Amino acid sequence: MKKALLPLAIAAVLPMSAFADVTVYGKANVSLQSTDEGGDRITELVSNASRIGFKGKEDLGNGLKAIYKFEYETQIDDGDKSGQTFTQRNIYVGLEGGFGQVIAGKFDTPLKKAQKKVDLFNDLEGDIKSIITKSDNRTSNTVQYTTPKSWGPIQAKVAYVASEDDDVDNGVSSSVAYNDKDAGVYLAVAYDQDVEKEGADVVRAVGQFKLSSLQLGVLWEDQDAGTSSLRDGDGWVVSAKLKASKTVALKAQYGQSDIVKEDGKTWSLGMDYKLSKKTKLYGFYTHEEADNLTEDNDYAGIGIEMKF
């Protein structure tokens, strides 16, 4: 039996009472798209980070809780990703209380989480990791501390990433964010040291603003390669989402970066049509170009996303 199938096998044999404090959640996201890369055009069905997860907590008394999450990606299109049916995403166990939260496992770094929802094409071809950044990481062997909710709109995170190699420096990822939901203002700054590669430093600044039915976002990032094999460079992206009606949202995004590819540029347009609170249809078009691409890349697709 593949190790990734163990969560479902365990769920099948344990009594329902064992899951009294467990929340099962996930997202099914699949698109039919035309992909034009390097002059070669194909039509394909793509699973866009579809996932299933289990999370829960146990009240330990005196305001202290034990918490956990086990989340796996699955491929809706063909059921296979590098020979596996399920691949690990965010998985951790930890404690939460008046002191804040401490978790240990494999999960998104504070720098990655600091982007909030500026990336309107996350998990699709227009995702910022395609052209803008190499530091949207999910790191293993990580211990993270998050400040308590009593800090109000201010939240700080610091994660220690163990290399488990005497010849490789351990990594540190940290962030500080200000999130005023009533005012519709989100601001964050984040810093990675020796996370993507040993010797590399990354700084990220993020702003997101809600003005009635309009959401605006901006993200800037600078990468200092140091002694690593990465390239020095910076990148930025701006995005806008307009809620045109109760069911329709229009999206646009543009960015430039030298971090992933020399003189990389990308822009995307999209529309979401909400069928319910948890299900939507969507369409998108993404264009990418860079100095070392023989031809520009273009992607156009329609899809459905259902959260549960």
Side-chain angles (χ1 to χ4, degrees):
M1 179 183 295
K2 296 177 180 178
K3 292 182 179 180
L5 294 177
L6 287 178
L8 297 184
I10 294 172
V13 299
L14 287 180
M16 289 304 295
S17 60
F19 292 90
D21 294 319
V22 176
T23 298
V24 179
Y25 69 95
K27 180 171 72 173
N29 187 334
V30 64
S31 59
L32 178 65
Q33 66 185 54
S34 172
T35 299
D36 186 349
E37 295 179 327
D40 297 326
R41 177 174 293 179
I42 62 171
T43 299
E44 57 182 335
L45 189 66
V46 181
S47 180
N48 303 296
S50 299
R51 68 201 68 164
I52 184 169
F54 308 85
K55 61 183 178 180
K57 58 188 176 182
E58 180 185 8
D59 191 343
L60 303 176
N62 298 316
L64 186 64
K65 297 177 182 178
I67 58 175
Y68 67 89
K69 176 185 281 189
F70 290 81
E71 184 178 287
Y72 297 86
E73 181 176 347
T74 186
Q75 303 300 110
I76 292 181
D77 52 348
D78 58 14
D80 177 79
K81 184 175 182 179
S82 302
Q84 297 290 317
T85 303
F86 293 91
T87 53
Q88 184 173 322
R89 285 177 55 87
N90 294 298
I91 296 185
Y92 61 76
V93 65
L95 294 172
E96 187 175 77
F99 64 91
Q101 181 193 86
V102 175
I103 57 175
K106 176 179 180 177
F107 43 84
D108 296 340
T109 63
L111 186 138
K112 178 180 180 181
K113 295 293 287 184
Q115 71 165 273
K116 199 169 172 59
K117 295 184 179 180
V118 169
D119 184 1
L120 299 178
F121 295 86
N122 180 48
D123 293 334
L124 300 177
E125 299 294 349
D127 194 305
I128 62 173
K129 65 185 179 184
S130 297
I131 290 290
I132 305 300
T133 180
K134 291 185 70 67
S135 293
D136 265 9
N137 291 308
R138 180 177 298 121
T139 53
S140 303
N141 309 311
T142 302
V143 178
Q144 175 180 283
Y145 170 73
T146 302
T147 54
K149 294 179 181 179
S150 60
W151 283 33
I154 298 176
Q155 183 184 73
K157 295 183 179 183
V158 58
Y160 179 82
V161 184
S163 69
E164 298 191 346
D165 187 336
D166 186 53
D167 296 325
V168 179
D169 290 342
N170 298 316
V172 176
S173 180
S174 58
S175 68
V176 177
Y178 174 82
N179 187 14
D180 188 333
K181 294 181 180 180
D182 293 333
V185 175
Y186 172 84
L187 300 170
V189 60
Y191 175 68
D192 273 8
Q193 181 178 20
D194 300 320
V195 176
E196 171 62 25
K197 291 282 187 179
E198 182 183 26
D201 296 334
V202 177
V203 177
R204 173 179 288 185
V206 182
Q208 183 175 296
F209 313 93
K210 289 187 177 180
L211 308 169
S212 184
S213 59
L214 180 64
Q215 174 184 302
L216 301 175
V218 58
L219 181 150
W220 170 84
E221 183 170 302
D222 180 77
Q223 177 174 277
D224 182 353
T227 58
S228 74
S229 58
L230 301 174
R231 65 168 72 238
D232 289 330
D234 62 358
W236 56 269
V237 63
V238 292
S239 64
K241 180 178 180 180
L242 175 65
K243 189 176 180 181
S245 69
K246 290 183 178 180
T247 57
V248 176
L250 305 176
K251 303 185 294 185
Q253 188 162 294
Y254 179 81
Q256 297 183 8
S257 177
D258 293 314
I259 295 174
V260 180
K261 300 179 184 295
E262 186 70 28
D263 196 24
K265 298 181 179 68
T266 179
W267 58 267
S268 298
L269 298 174
M271 183 180 75
D272 294 342
Y273 182 80
K274 185 181 293 186
L275 298 174
S276 70
K277 185 176 180 180
K278 296 183 177 181
T279 304
K280 70 178 182 181
L281 300 175
Y282 62 85
F284 68 89
Y285 180 85
T286 292
H287 175 83
E288 296 177 351
E289 57 185 89
D291 284 354
N292 59 343
L293 288 177
T294 55
E295 293 190 36
D296 298 346
N297 296 332
D298 292 283
Y299 310 89
I302 56 173
I304 182 171
E305 177 187 279
M306 178 182 178
K307 296 180 179 179
F308 59 90

